[in-house]
Amino acid sequence: MSSTVVRLKAQPLFAALDQAELSSLADRAHLRRYAQGEVLFAEGDACQGLYVLVSGRIRIFKTSPSGREQVLAVEEPGSSFAELPVFDGGPYPASASAMSDTEVLFISRADVRALCLERPEVALKILQVVAARQRRVVAVIEELSFTTVHQRLVSWLLRQAASNGRPSERGTIITLPSSHQELAAHVGTVRELVSRNLARLQAQGLIAVEAREVTILDPRGLEADLTSSD
């Protein structure tokens, strides 16, 4: 069994395919490698196909006319992305860039559509993925519309602590993005407000900031601060 077949078999989108179908799809899938910071596709580009993330992390983001970015999702290994334009015929609705050295399997639009016509259950799986992503985008819109920058930052810190935190004697340690500008793109604001609010949380004794590491000193206090913030 080829490594590409193994990778496709582990992907929920293609779990229903038998060995022959997986092998056929593997023959048409292309392994691509991207360096950290490299753009896979830009918002507005014509859709060429969808991607399955093998290793690394991918940032999906929108860019305003002024150049400000808003992160919509961070994709982890095993996930797929760029499914929607495969079916609606439009361009990519957002951009994607590698957050680290990354490997993806690329499957062309024509091959995906042909597979869905042959195996409707694959189309249903893709629909589930697209629906889940749509819910995430709605959640992002709600957060941007109805919460403050301070609340969004606290919420991001708590989510990171729950998903990627490392325990220590002082508390849970999380690693910030490479810059406050990038963190600002995650919470929908500008770098200056991120720096100001991190300093505020540190002054309150809720977190400790050392270079790119943040230690959550008082998670209950942070949660209380989230609910009490205006």
Side-chain angles (χ1 to χ4, degrees):
M1 189 181 298
S2 73
S3 59
T4 301
V5 169
V6 172
R7 288 162 173 160
L8 291 172
K9 190 175 181 63
Q11 166 56 237
L13 290 183
F14 310 121
L17 300 184
D18 60 31
Q19 190 65 32
E21 290 166 328
L22 284 169
S23 296
S24 176
L25 183 60
D27 289 339
R28 291 173 285 177
H30 303 281
L31 184 66
R32 296 182 177 179
R33 294 181 173 87
Y34 296 88
Q36 180 177 355
E38 194 171 353
V39 174
L40 283 71
F41 54 81
E43 178 181 350
D45 286 351
C47 174
Q48 303 297 319
L50 66 76
Y51 298 77
V52 175
L53 184 54
V54 174
S55 65
R57 303 172 80 205
I58 293 292
R59 183 172 65 115
I60 308 297
F61 62 98
K62 297 275 289 183
T63 306
S64 73
S66 65
R68 186 168 134 190
E69 294 181 356
Q70 172 63 52
V71 174
L72 301 178
V74 174
E75 301 294 346
E76 304 284 351
S79 64
S80 62
F81 54 98
E83 305 91 355
L84 182 60
V86 166
F87 295 99
D88 73 3
Y92 290 117
S95 302
S97 66
M99 299 179 69
S100 61
D101 289 347
T102 295
E103 289 184 324
V104 298
L105 286 172
F106 173 80
I107 306 172
S108 75
R109 181 173 180 265
D111 287 335
V112 174
R113 290 172 67 90
L115 178 62
C116 289
L117 289 173
E118 295 170 8
R119 296 296 299 265
E121 61 269 36
V122 174
L124 289 175
K125 285 285 188 181
I126 292 177
L127 182 59
Q128 290 175 348
V129 171
V130 171
R133 183 165 289 113
Q134 180 68 20
R135 289 183 182 276
R136 292 209 312 255
V137 171
V138 169
V140 169
I141 293 171
E142 288 179 344
E143 192 171 62
L144 290 173
S145 301
F146 302 124
T147 61
T148 65
V149 169
H150 186 79
Q151 288 172 319
R152 295 199 295 274
L153 177 60
V154 170
S155 180
W156 186 89
L157 291 171
L158 290 171
R159 288 197 303 269
Q160 290 301 304
S163 61
N164 299 309
R166 310 188 307 277
S168 73
E169 291 183 359
R170 298 177 68 199
T172 302
I173 299 174
I174 62 175
T175 301
L176 295 177
S178 58
S179 68
H180 284 186
Q181 183 67 45
E182 186 176 341
L183 177 53
H186 282 272
V187 297
T189 187
V190 294
R191 176 175 50 82
E192 292 78 9
L193 288 180
V194 164
S195 300
R196 187 184 308 166
N197 279 279
L198 284 173
R200 172 182 164 186
L201 292 170
Q202 185 164 233
Q204 291 175 273
L206 300 175
I207 65 172
V209 182
E210 298 177 16
R212 286 182 56 203
E213 288 192 340
V214 172
T215 303
I216 308 298
L217 303 174
D218 184 359
R220 291 186 178 180
L222 206 58
E223 291 172 359
D225 184 78
L226 176 63
T227 56
S228 65
S229 298
D230 294 330

